[in-house]
Amino acid sequence: MRIRIVDAFTDRPFAGNPAGVLLLDSFPDDHWLQKVAAEVNLSETAFAHPLPAGGEADWALRWFTPTTEVDMCGHATLATAHVINTVGKAAGTVRFAARCGILGATAEADGTITMDFPTSELKPVAAPAGLVEALGAEVVSVHDTSAHIGDLVVELTDEAAVRGLTPDHAALKDLSDRGIIVTAAAEQPGRGYDFVSRGFFPGVGIDEDPVTGSAHTALAPFWSARFGREELTGLQGGARTGMVRTRLRGDRTLLNGHAVTVIEGELRA
């Protein structure tokens, strides 16, 4: 079977967030899926297979980190939609049935893909004990997110604080259900993005995820409320970065970005 590595939320290779993608006829047992994801050893490997015509979705989709299955993943969904479109298995909009519900992905005329995800609810919470020490930075606010995400959105003072973080990943591991998303407003919005973020997920085997699409279903309503605009662009990442364009539509958030296939090969296991 063919296996591909796709860089998501970027229009050039070796940037954005890489994901493994396997298109299958059906899902093998969970143990095999997890072994493949561990072998690929990226933040996410996506497995998809086509569904019978006439249903509410076209493909079944699952995502695995090197250590566990997750409920929602944006960049690996973008990567999967990119592969399905580029190999000619679909055109236009693809509907995925996943743990978090039905997700749409539409290929746009400019070469990008727009995904339709559920908007995360945000709940202000107190900073958990040890968060400030683990981050090594001043915290402005903390918000919890919806169940399928399970992150804490942590606002820092400015863009420089986000970019300069060197957190204690072991100390962050047990502070949220999934991970910690740190964010701040862009220092110079004229550079093409409105806010910055970084994502740390040691609890699911990922110290830092370069560009987390699912986190933007929480970042979009957070920053849209601050800026008073429905359409925003976020820049995420530390050493490796990518852009996510967001559009808030009530209980749905649209995420838009490019994707590039960088590796294609044969999986023999």
Side-chain angles (χ1 to χ4, degrees), residues 34 39 57 73 130 137 156 184 186 200 207:
Q34 188 63 74
E39 187 76 8
C73 179
L156 302 186
F200 306 104
D207 282 348

Side-chain angles (χ1 to χ4, degrees), residues 220 224 228-232 246-250:
S224 289
R229 289 188 283 126
E230 292 183 339
E231 297 188 23
L232 299 169
T246 68
R247 184 184 306 164
L248 192 61
R249 289 290 182 265

Side-chain angles (χ1 to χ4, degrees), residues 58-59 81 84-85 90-96 103-108 114 116:
D58 308 302
W59 290 74
I84 289 172
N85 277 277
T93 298
V94 178
R95 300 167 300 165
F96 294 108
L103 309 175
T106 301
E108 307 289 358
T114 298
D116 183 342

Side-chain angles (χ1 to χ4, degrees), residues 1-5 19-24 26-48 62-69 265-269:
M1 64 193 75
R2 305 302 292 173
I3 184 169
R4 297 166 176 88
I5 306 300
V21 178
L22 283 88
L23 304 184
L24 307 167
S26 62
F27 290 138
D29 65 83
D30 291 2
H31 179 72
W32 185 88
L33 297 174
Q34 188 63 74
K35 286 290 188 181
V36 172
E39 187 76 8
V40 174
N41 199 33
L42 295 173
S43 61
E44 229 75 51
T45 298
F47 302 90
R62 297 172 71 180
W63 312 278
F64 287 76
T65 77
T67 62
T68 190
E69 185 172 8
E266 182 179 352
L267 178 65
R268 299 188 177 187

Side-chain angles (χ1 to χ4, degrees), residues 143-212:
H143 288 75
D144 204 354
T145 58
S146 300
H148 286 305
I149 303 177
D151 299 332
L152 289 181
V153 174
V154 180
E155 181 186 6
L156 302 186
T157 53
D158 53 33
E159 180 176 341
V162 173
R163 290 181 176 274
L165 280 183
T166 55
D168 181 340
H169 295 107
L172 290 176
K173 186 174 182 179
D174 299 320
L175 297 183
S176 71
D177 291 340
R178 189 180 75 160
I180 305 293
I181 301 292
V182 297
T183 188
E187 183 177 342
Q188 298 179 18
R191 291 182 174 177
Y193 55 90
D194 301 290
F195 61 89
V196 295
S197 64
R198 290 174 66 186
F200 306 104
F201 306 94
V204 292
I206 307 161
D207 282 348
E208 181 167 4
D209 194 37
V211 194
T212 312

Side-chain angles (χ1 to χ4, degrees), residues 108-133:
E108 307 289 358
D110 64 357
T112 64
I113 292 173
T114 298
M115 299 181 293
D116 183 342
F117 272 58
T119 300
S120 176
E121 297 178 2
L122 292 172
K123 177 185 176 183
V125 295
L131 175 65
V132 172
E133 293 78 9

